[in-house]
């Protein structure tokens, strides 16, 4: 990197890519890296920026990533392009807004066959709120069913872009990639910082490195930061010396300094990740800035579940693993929890269901901890009869009906984009989930955006799957928190063999309590294996039993053939059976498998309705 | 046996579990050839390789000599020729195998010599030949008498074939005839099962009642054509309750006929008809495992041979050992195996004295907690001599045995 580029703010472009899952964001990023020769062909692998195994497997981006590219444009100038990759899933919109804060522009990637999706729209609005310039890329024009003109028109109408701000491309074939780079240089403004003002750099992400401490991902808004500078983190007031600064290529690439407008990293040497808050401002200790940059709201967990180690002696391991995951994941919260049924574990808060699933998989894969997860719940506000208020995120903590005046639950602002022929199907699903219809907008003659208010608790129970299946996969969904509303909610308890199982309690609307209770005990009857004795499974509201099923005692479990050749095999088989038992939780004297604790997930009127 | 008076002391010794190093050993010979593989079978057997038989038999004789050397002069109580389909061998070939055993081992007087057979092969002439060769117990793979059942199980015989096989065995002079039956095959009803057992116990099959029955609940093993058919929805397996009904029906019909349920899957008309050879497995005893894929047990060692008959033959004829796997059984695993095998002997169970002398610790001291727990659940019964499964315990023996792991 020559000095004249790195010190010339006018030659810097910071941008991110906004795209729906599968619309080709990662492939486009790969092409940009190739075209600018940032990554040699030898190093090239699919989804360069998605380094987690899970990301490659699921084809999604979870963590934000950044990379610096050098591009010589047709005007003869050499530009420094910083691409900050962002997650596409609604659970991670928090990460998106962080990344966008470090940019002056965004590439909006839209599939030329599918058109724009609800989550993409939400992220576009986030970008527009932050005054970002937008260049639209109509991608996958090589697909046989692509309709780039129609999709261009839709994008132009929704966002109000000019023709030359819309590029037709195919990230797969490489068509249009050069045009995209030109459009970035031409339409996205350079950063507007003051190189002579006291240093201010925005931390938009971080990760923990065992050797270099917390690595802060920053955009230098004003001034500069050099390696060895003494820096101050303005929110915490913490001071430290930078061990190293540099940029992303996409690996960490040390450099002497980060100049105004540049995106890169600072190795802080700090061991406590909480000292380096994402959203905080870094300044130089010698000449501190007067006021920090506008930060942003910390991510707020919306979905809560208990994580319990299957082996209780893995509790400390689970704590360490959660601690480590939290280092790089501002959306994850947890606190110790103890359950009568499941022992000691953690009540964890997540941004959404996908987030929960990813954390669970990472704990099991990367940390090799066998986990038992309870069904997800939301956070309720309970107004007690003395006037005091209580926030609970665990159904088992719900006070008895006599003690509470009012229970409030989170409601969402839900947007669904769907071909107009599915309006009825979506309407039926949403109203069946206590949703309230608000408005319907035609995006084009065949596609509509529907808006609803809906309780979050209804959305986390299998709603997305149902939405997808009822619209043959066409619907896209976005939601944001709206408000807390009082509802007629009751706590449903489950008793197995006469013993209440706290981890199976759930909170439901009174109107649904009977059908959910019945369905839950039926599901549990199928999920809890037969024991050596009859096991009644009951659902109750307070002391009133509302449903009951009986799991009949096991009748036959024997290998009928066992001769000389079968001894080792039989012993191994029994050992395996025993291992399977060890994965279950002993509640009273009944062995309950993991799946049973998620039985509540498959509840809901929809499923019952599809039964013959 | 619960009627020791019927047995002489010598024979009773062959049912006391666990066995000890002072007890005679057994000899198992595997014939891994079939003219056709049944769709439920996951045994080590091959179709269309009958041309290998002569050289394979030579190899068996070599391996018999290895084992005799390994066992260093211990007496042998029984020979079992299993498969596959041993009845693909002619009586002369059988005699050759038995002669080798008799030459290499010192056989106990009246040693039990069993052959497994396919009903299609069991003619009067064949049975006479077997008896002359020294076979004294024949096990016939009937599987079912129900026509649709025979087809589901892929059997190439009819119920008439079973009848002729039984009458041939009787006419030739076999005093110990056993039938193998399978229950719980896809599509079986309680009525067809009742009919199978009724015909057999009524003497309608071959004009006589067999002396011994092995009744196996079908296990659909992964990788078999039957498992594939289940996966593809062509066959639906019977559920646990139906299978339990079948097992209970069999137990009550045979009990009413005065038969002895001496092992989980085995019944005999009289104590003398219980299989001494198979009992040795359940007594955690020592046996030679001869042939391709055969398993043996000698002291702390469990062995397994090369499964391919061609390779087995090649290795043995070049003077090398055909063993490809062995497992060293440590003292604790040995005690576990004593329990999970010995409890299968429903009448005799695990003897307290025998446990002490085999393992050098009392059963109470080693497994007292587990036994008490299982007894409280009504799954085990104990007295001053032995620990046994209850009737309920025998139905859920896996659950019981898992406690000892």
């Amino acid at each position: 990197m020559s000095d004249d580029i790195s010190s010339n703010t006018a030659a810097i472009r910071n941008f991110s890519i906004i795209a729906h899952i599968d619309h080709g964001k990662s492939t486009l990023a790969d092409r940009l890296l190739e075209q600018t020769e940032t990554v040699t062909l030898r190093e090239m692998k699919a989804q360069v920026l998605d380094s987690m195994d899970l990301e490659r497997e699921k084809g999604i981006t979870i963590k934000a990533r950044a990379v610096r590219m050098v591009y010589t444009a047709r005007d003869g100038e050499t530009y420094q392009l910083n691409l900050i990759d962002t997650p596409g899933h609604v659970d991670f919109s928090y990460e998106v807004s962080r990344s966008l804060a470090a940019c002056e522009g965004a590439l909006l990637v839209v599939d030329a066959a599918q058109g724009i999706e609800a989550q993409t729209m939400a992220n576009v609005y986030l970008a527009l709120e932050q005054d970002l310039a937008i260049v639209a890329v109509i991608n996958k024009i090589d697909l046989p069913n692509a309709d780039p003109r129609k999709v261009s028109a839709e994008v132009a109408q929704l966002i109000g872009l000019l023709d030359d701000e819309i590029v037709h491309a195919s990230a797969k074939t490489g068509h249009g990639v050069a045009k995209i780079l030109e459009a970035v240089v031409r339409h996205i403004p350079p950063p507007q910082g003051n190189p002579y003002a006291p240093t201010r750099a925005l931390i938009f992400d971080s990760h923990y490195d065992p050797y270099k401490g917390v690595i802060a991902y920053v955009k230098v808004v004003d001034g500069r930061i050099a390696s060895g500078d003494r820096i101050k983190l303005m929110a915490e007031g913490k001071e430290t010396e930078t061990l190293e600064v540099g940029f992303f290529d996409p690996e960490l690439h040390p450099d002497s300094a980060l100049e105004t407008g540049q995106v890169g990293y600072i190795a802080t040497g700090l061991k406590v990740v909480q000292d380096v808050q994402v959203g905080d401002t870094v300044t130089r200790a010698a000449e501190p800035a007067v006021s920090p940059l506008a930060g942003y709201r910390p991510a707020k967990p919306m979905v809560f579940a208990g994580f319990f180690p299957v082996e209780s002696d893995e509790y400390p391991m689970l704590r360490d693993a959660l601690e480590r995951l939290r280092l790089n994941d501002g959306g994850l919260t947890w606190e110790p929890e103890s359950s009568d049924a499941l022992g000691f574990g953690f009540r964890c808060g997540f941004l959404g269901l996908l987030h929960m699933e990813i954390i669970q998989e990472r704990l099991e894969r990367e940390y090799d901890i066998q986990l038992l997860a309870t069904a997800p719940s939301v956070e309720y506000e309970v107004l007690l009869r003395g006037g005091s208020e209580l926030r609970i995120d665990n159904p088992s903590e719900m006070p008895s009906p006599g003690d509470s005046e009012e229970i409030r639950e989170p409601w969402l602002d839900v947007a669904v984009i769907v071909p107009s022929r599915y309006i009825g199907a979506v309407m039926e699903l949403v109203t069946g989930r206590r949703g309230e219809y608000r408005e319907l907008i035609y995006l084009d003659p065949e596609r509509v955006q529907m808006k609803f208010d809906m309780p979050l608790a209804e959305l986390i129970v299998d709603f997305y799957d149902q939405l997808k299946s009822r619209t043959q996969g066409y619907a896209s969904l976005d939601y944001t928190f709206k408000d807390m509303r009082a509802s007629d909610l009751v706590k449903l308890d489950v008793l197995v063999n006469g013993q209440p199982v706290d981890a199976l309690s759930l909170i439901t609307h009174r109107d649904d309590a009977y059908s959910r209770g019945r369905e839950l005990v039926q599901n549990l009857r199928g999920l809890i294996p037969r024991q050596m004795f009859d096991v009644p499974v009951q659902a109750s509201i307070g002391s009133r039993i509302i449903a009951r099923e009986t799991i009949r005692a096991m009748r036959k479990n024997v290998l009928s053939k066992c001769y000389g050749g079968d001894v080792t095999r039989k012993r191994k088989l029994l050992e395996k059976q025993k291992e399977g038992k060890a994965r279950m939780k002993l509640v009273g004297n009944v062995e309950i498998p993991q799946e049973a604790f998620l039985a509540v997930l498959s509840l809901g009127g929809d499923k019952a309705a599809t039964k013959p | 046996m619960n009627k020791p008076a019927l047995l002489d002391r010598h024979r009773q010794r062959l049912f006391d579990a666990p066995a000890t190093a002072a007890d005679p050993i057994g000899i198992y010979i595997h014939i891994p050839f079939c003219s056709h593989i049944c769709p439920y079978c996951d045994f080590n057997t091959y179709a269309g390789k009958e041309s290998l038989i002569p050289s394979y038999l030579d190899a068996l004789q070599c391996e018999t000599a290895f084992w005799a050397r390994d066992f260093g002069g211990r007496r042998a109580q029984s020979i079992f020729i299993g498969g596959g389909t041993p009845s693909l061998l002619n009586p002369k070939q059988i005699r050759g195998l038995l002669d080798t055993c008799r030459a290499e081992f010192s056989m106990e007087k009246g040693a039990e010599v069993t052959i497994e057979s396919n009903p299609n092969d069991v003619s009067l002439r064949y049975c006479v030949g077997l008896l002359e060769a020294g076979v004294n117990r024949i096990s016939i793979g009937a599987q079912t008498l129900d026509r649709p059942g025979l087809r589901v199980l892929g059997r190439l015989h009819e119920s008439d074939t079973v009848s002729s096989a039984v009458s041939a065995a009787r006419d030739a002079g076999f005093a110990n005839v056993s039938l193998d039956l399978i229950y719980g095959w896809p599509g079986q009803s309680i009525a067809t099962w009742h009919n199978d057992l009724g015909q057999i116990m009524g003497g309608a099959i071959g004009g006589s009642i067999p002396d011994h029955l092995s009744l196996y609940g079908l296990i659909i093993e992964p990788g078999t054509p039957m498992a594939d058919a289940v996966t593809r929805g062509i066959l639906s397996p019977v559920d646990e309750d139906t299978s339990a009904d079948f097992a209970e029906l069999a137990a009550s019909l045979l009990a009413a006929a005065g038969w002895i349920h001496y092992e989980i899957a085995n019944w005999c008309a009289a104590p003398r008809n219980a299989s001494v050879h198979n009992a040795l497995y359940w007594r955690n005893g020592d046996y030679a495992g001869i042939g391709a894929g055969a398993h043996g047990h000698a002291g702390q060692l469990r062995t397994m041979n090369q499964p391919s008959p061609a390779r087995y033959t090649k290795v043995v004829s070049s003077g090398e050992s055909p063993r490809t796997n062995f497992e060293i059984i440590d003292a604790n695993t040995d005690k576990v195996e004593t329990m999970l095998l010995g409890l299968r002997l429903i009448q005799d169970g695990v003897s307290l004295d025998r446990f002490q002398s085999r393992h050098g610790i009392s059963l109470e001291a080693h497994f007292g907690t587990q036994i008490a727990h299982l007894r409280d659940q009504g799954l085990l019964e104990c007295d001053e001599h032995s620990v046994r499964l209850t009737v309920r315990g025998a139905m859920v023996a896996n659950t019981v045995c898992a406690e000892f792991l």
Side-chain angles (χ1 to χ4, degrees):
Chain A
M1 197 90 359
S2 68
D3 272 347
D4 62 315
I5 301 176
S6 53
S7 57
N8 179 6
T9 317
I12 297 175
R13 297 292 183 273
N14 297 320
F15 68 101
S16 62
I17 304 182
I18 296 171
H20 190 68
I21 295 168
D22 287 341
H23 281 200
K25 172 171 62 82
S26 296
T27 315
L28 178 60
D30 289 354
R31 284 301 93 77
L32 295 177
L33 295 183
E34 266 173 27
Q35 185 96 22
T36 57
E37 293 170 14
T38 308
V39 176
T40 62
L41 281 177
R42 187 175 52 76
E43 297 166 323
M44 198 66 212
K45 53 188 176 183
Q47 284 185 262
V48 171
L49 296 186
D50 294 339
S51 59
M52 267 191 263
D53 283 349
L54 264 177
E55 292 183 316
R56 288 167 191 278
E57 254 171 55
K58 292 186 188 265
I60 56 171
T61 305
I62 299 166
K63 288 290 290 179
R65 289 280 180 289
V67 63
R68 179 187 289 188
M69 298 175 278
V70 176
Y71 172 66
T72 305
R74 279 192 213 137
D75 60 11
E77 298 285 328
T78 301
Y79 292 88
Q80 183 187 108
L81 310 183
N82 289 302
L83 164 60
I84 299 165
D85 195 18
T86 57
H89 190 274
V90 59
D91 278 7
F92 303 104
S93 57
Y94 163 66
E95 303 250 352
V96 175
S97 64
R98 286 178 358 193
S99 309
L100 295 178
C103 298
E104 284 76 43
L107 288 180
L108 165 64
V109 178
V110 182
D111 184 310
Q114 312 260 332
I116 202 159
E117 306 280 5
Q119 284 162 33
T120 322
M121 275 313 293
N123 288 339
V124 170
Y125 290 134
L126 280 178
L128 293 174
E129 274 169 28
Q130 300 190 23
D131 272 338
L132 265 56
I134 297 205
V135 172
V137 175
I138 310 303
N139 192 23
K140 303 196 188 183
I141 55 165
D142 57 312
L143 288 183
N145 56 340
D147 192 348
R149 285 164 60 112
K150 185 180 137 197
V151 174
S152 299
E154 184 183 283
V155 169
Q157 188 203 330
L158 282 172
I159 307 160
L161 294 181
L162 302 172
D163 274 357
D164 64 341
E165 292 167 326
I166 300 177
V167 183
H168 291 189
S170 164
K172 197 171 131 205
T173 65
H175 178 92
V177 174
K179 272 194 191 158
I180 296 171
L181 287 166
E182 282 298 315
V184 166
V185 169
R186 200 138 12 104
H187 296 292
I188 295 176
Q192 300 296 324
N194 180 352
Y196 308 105
T199 300
R200 292 196 299 174
L202 177 70
I203 305 176
F204 63 87
D205 205 347
S206 69
H207 82 261
Y208 182 78
D209 179 281
Y211 303 106
K212 299 174 187 167
V214 180
I215 310 278
Y217 296 17
V218 297
K219 178 196 177 188
V220 180
V221 175
D222 296 319
R224 75 196 290 265
I225 294 176
S227 180
D229 276 355
R230 202 154 173 83
I231 55 165
K232 183 177 172 187
L233 296 149
M234 295 185 76
E236 295 293 310
K238 190 102 186 166
E239 286 190 21
T240 184
E241 191 170 302
T242 56
L243 297 182
E244 183 181 305
V245 301
F247 57 92
F248 304 97
D249 74 349
E251 306 306 323
L252 301 186
H253 186 119
D255 203 350
S256 54
L258 289 172
E259 306 291 342
T260 305
Q262 290 191 330
V263 170
Y265 69 90
I266 302 171
T268 63
L270 294 171
K271 298 295 176 197
V272 183
V273 100
Q274 279 75 11
D275 289 341
V276 185
Q277 298 273 359
V278 169
D280 196 0
T281 301
V282 181
T283 188
R284 292 204 312 170
E287 192 195 351
V290 180
S291 59
L293 298 161
Y296 24 77
R297 269 184 301 134
K300 199 171 159 288
M302 307 254 274
V303 171
F304 299 83
F307 277 6
F308 294 85
V310 170
E311 301 288 343
S312 57
D313 57 354
E314 287 186 350
Y315 179 84
M317 269 172 70
L318 178 57
R319 171 194 286 279
D320 290 350
L322 284 168
E323 186 72 67
R324 277 163 176 274
L325 288 176
R326 187 160 62 178
L327 292 184
N328 296 319
D329 189 339
L332 172 68
T333 64
W334 50 264
E335 56 186 33
E337 174 185 8
S338 92
S339 151
D340 297 339
L342 303 178
F344 291 103
F346 298 92
R347 191 77 189 166
C348 302
F350 309 95
L351 301 173
L353 284 183
L354 179 69
H355 188 210
M356 171 174 166
E357 189 188 314
I358 285 165
I359 296 291
Q360 191 176 353
E361 278 196 45
R362 293 187 66 184
L363 287 169
E364 295 194 332
R365 275 201 218 178
E366 294 168 31
Y367 296 92
D368 199 23
I369 298 171
Q370 295 202 326
L371 273 189
L372 219 153
T374 63
S377 156
V378 302
E379 190 173 45
Y380 297 92
E381 284 175 6
V382 184
L383 177 62
L384 294 173
R385 273 191 205 289
S388 60
E389 270 195 18
L390 199 64
R391 296 180 79 86
I392 64 154
D393 57 33
N394 187 342
S396 67
E397 290 166 2
M398 184 60 83
S400 62
D403 294 340
S404 57
E405 192 77 49
E406 184 179 276
I407 304 172
R408 293 187 285 264
E409 62 176 334
W411 278 64
L412 301 173
D413 204 338
V414 177
V416 173
I417 294 183
V418 76
S420 50
R421 62 181 181 280
Y422 296 113
I423 292 175
V426 173
M427 200 71 99
E428 189 193 330
L429 173 64
V430 173
T431 49
R433 298 286 184 111
R434 298 193 278 137
E436 292 169 8
Y437 165 76
R438 284 221 325 277
E439 64 174 14
L440 184 132
I441 304 160
Y442 273 85
L443 301 177
D444 64 40
E446 284 112 52
R447 268 157 57 94
V448 295
Q449 172 166 287
M450 302 170 76
K451 290 209 162 186
F452 303 92
D453 288 356
M454 201 171 100
L456 172 60
E458 299 285 343
L459 185 116
I460 62 175
V461 179
D462 165 53
F463 178 79
Y464 188 62
D465 290 344
Q466 283 293 326
L467 180 67
K468 280 285 180 190
S469 80
R470 285 168 182 232
T471 60
Q472 295 176 298
Y474 279 107
S476 70
L477 169 73
D478 188 63
Y479 53 84
T480 48
F481 172 75
K482 184 162 194 180
D483 52 17
M484 297 296 287
R485 295 191 195 171
S487 305
D488 188 7
L489 299 172
V490 292
K491 179 177 156 208
L492 196 68
D493 289 312
V494 173
L495 295 89
V496 174
N497 207 22
Q499 287 224 27
V501 182
D502 55 2
L504 285 171
S505 292
L506 65 104
I507 290 165
T508 177
H509 195 268
R510 190 179 299 277
D511 294 348
D512 300 330
Y514 279 83
S515 62
R516 291 219 167 160
R518 240 188 336 269
E519 218 187 316
L520 182 56
V521 296
Q522 275 166 10
N523 286 356
L524 287 170
R525 193 187 59 165
L527 289 167
I528 299 175
R530 295 168 117 183
Q531 314 276 317
M532 299 308 289
F533 41 85
D534 284 358
V535 175
V537 180
Q538 297 157 303
S540 73
I541 299 173
S543 57
R544 198 156 35 94
I545 302 291
I546 60 166
R548 179 193 161 110
E549 291 277 340
T550 303
I551 301 163
R552 294 275 164 223
M554 178 194 289
R555 284 187 61 196
K556 187 165 179 275
N557 176 26
V558 57
L559 274 186
S560 58
K561 241 179 184 169
C562 179
Y563 296 101
D566 302 320
V567 181
T568 303
R569 207 172 107 172
K570 178 177 157 88
R571 198 185 68 235
K572 299 242 158 93
L573 197 119
L574 292 176
E575 277 164 3
K576 226 168 130 190
Q577 271 194 12
K578 199 169 175 176
E579 262 171 44
K581 273 172 83 147
R583 272 209 68 135
M584 298 192 202
K585 278 283 172 183
L586 195 63
V587 177
N589 49 356
V590 179
E591 281 150 354
I592 304 183
Q594 152 97 39
E595 306 83 70
F597 293 100
L598 293 172
V600 57
L601 267 184
S602 48
L603 287 184
D606 323 306
K607 239 192 165 163
T610 58
K611 275 180 194 154
Chain B
M1 273 336 88
N2 58 351
K3 297 163 191 159
L6 293 174
L7 287 172
D8 58 52
R9 283 183 47 139
H10 176 69
R11 191 171 162 82
Q12 177 59 45
R13 204 164 55 85
L14 301 177
F15 289 90
D16 284 338
T20 67
D23 289 313
I25 58 125
I27 301 168
Y28 176 79
I29 302 176
H30 191 66
I31 307 298
F33 304 103
C34 283
S35 51
H36 146 92
I37 311 286
C38 302
Y40 55 87
C41 180
D42 75 332
F43 284 13
N44 183 43
T45 190
Y46 303 82
K49 297 226 171 141
E50 289 86 334
S51 63
L52 293 173
I53 290 177
S55 59
Y56 180 75
L57 295 178
D58 292 343
L60 290 180
Q61 300 188 355
C62 286
E63 200 198 349
T64 307
F66 297 156
W67 277 99
R69 220 171 28 241
D70 281 1
F71 276 125
R74 273 174 75 182
R75 298 173 66 78
Q77 55 148 51
S78 57
I79 302 171
F80 194 104
I81 307 177
T85 310
S87 56
L88 285 179
L89 304 187
N90 62 41
K92 200 173 149 223
Q93 290 170 318
I94 299 287
R95 159 169 246 152
L97 290 176
L98 296 179
D99 283 346
T100 308
C101 291
R102 288 185 283 249
E104 298 288 347
F105 289 93
S106 65
M107 303 296 303
E108 300 261 284
K109 191 166 160 285
E112 177 185 285
V113 181
T114 306
I115 188 169
E116 284 185 328
S117 65
N118 191 335
N120 291 320
D121 302 327
V122 184
S123 63
L124 177 59
R125 204 182 136 97
Y126 188 68
C127 289
V128 170
L130 291 177
L131 284 162
E132 281 172 5
V135 176
N136 56 24
R137 181 170 181 270
I138 185 166
S139 164
I140 301 171
Q143 316 314 1
T144 177
L145 304 172
D146 184 70
R147 194 137 199 270
L150 286 165
R151 296 298 85 82
V152 167
L153 294 172
R155 303 295 294 178
L156 298 183
H157 61 81
E158 300 297 339
S159 65
D160 286 354
T161 328
V162 179
S163 290
S164 358
V166 170
S167 70
R170 284 289 187 232
D171 292 349
F174 270 106
N176 206 347
V177 176
S178 177
L179 291 187
D180 279 4
L181 294 179
I182 293 177
Y183 64 87
W185 37 265
Q188 188 180 26
S189 68
I190 195 91
T192 55
W193 180 228
H194 198 154
N195 187 45
D196 276 4
L197 294 168
Q199 285 196 63
I200 290 163
M201 299 309 287
I205 298 303
S208 75
I209 301 172
D211 311 293
H212 184 278
L213 284 172
S214 299
L215 311 180
Y216 302 121
L218 178 69
I219 294 175
I220 300 176
E221 298 286 356
T224 58
M226 188 172 274
D228 186 46
V230 168
T231 314
R232 289 188 291 141
I234 297 166
L235 294 177
S236 38
V238 303
D239 62 21
E240 180 190 324
D241 284 309
T242 313
S243 182
D245 289 343
F246 289 170
E248 283 170 5
L249 174 70
S252 69
L253 286 179
L254 293 171
W259 278 45
I260 302 163
H261 188 184
Y262 74 100
E263 195 264 350
I264 285 173
N266 288 280
W267 281 259
C268 55
R272 66 174 178 281
N273 302 121
S275 169
V276 167
H277 183 83
N278 289 335
L280 187 60
Y281 300 137
W282 304 318
R283 295 165 62 217
N284 197 10
D286 287 341
Y287 49 92
I290 301 168
H295 295 250
H297 184 208
Q300 284 182 294
L301 212 58
R302 288 197 180 276
T303 65
M304 187 195 149
N305 283 350
Q306 162 66 250
S308 146
R311 240 169 286 155
Y312 167 85
T313 304
K314 202 171 150 218
V315 171
V316 174
S317 59
S318 65
E320 288 169 47
S321 165
R323 284 180 197 172
T324 52
N325 289 325
F326 63 89
E327 189 186 5
I328 295 169
I329 306 296
D330 62 46
N332 273 329
T333 309
D334 196 35
K335 295 182 191 84
V336 170
E337 292 189 347
T338 286
M339 298 313 287
L340 59 91
L341 294 165
L343 287 174
R344 296 188 67 94
L345 288 162
I346 289 177
Q347 305 295 336
D348 298 85
V350 175
S351 146
L352 305 188
D353 287 350
R354 282 282 183 147
F355 191 95
Q356 173 80 48
S357 54
R358 161 88 174 244
H359 299 294
I361 184 172
S362 76
L363 184 55
E364 171 61 28
H366 195 72
F367 285 129
T369 330
Q370 290 93 322
I371 291 171
H373 176 62
L374 290 162
R375 190 167 55 179
D376 292 346
Q377 292 181 74
L379 302 173
L380 283 184
E381 56 190 19
C382 318
D383 57 27
E384 64 274 29
H385 302 298
S386 65
V387 175
R388 297 170 306 274
L389 291 170
T390 59
V391 172
R392 166 107 175 104
M395 288 292 283
V396 293
N398 283 355
T399 311
V400 175
C401 290
E403 287 287 315
F404 294 99
L405 288 173

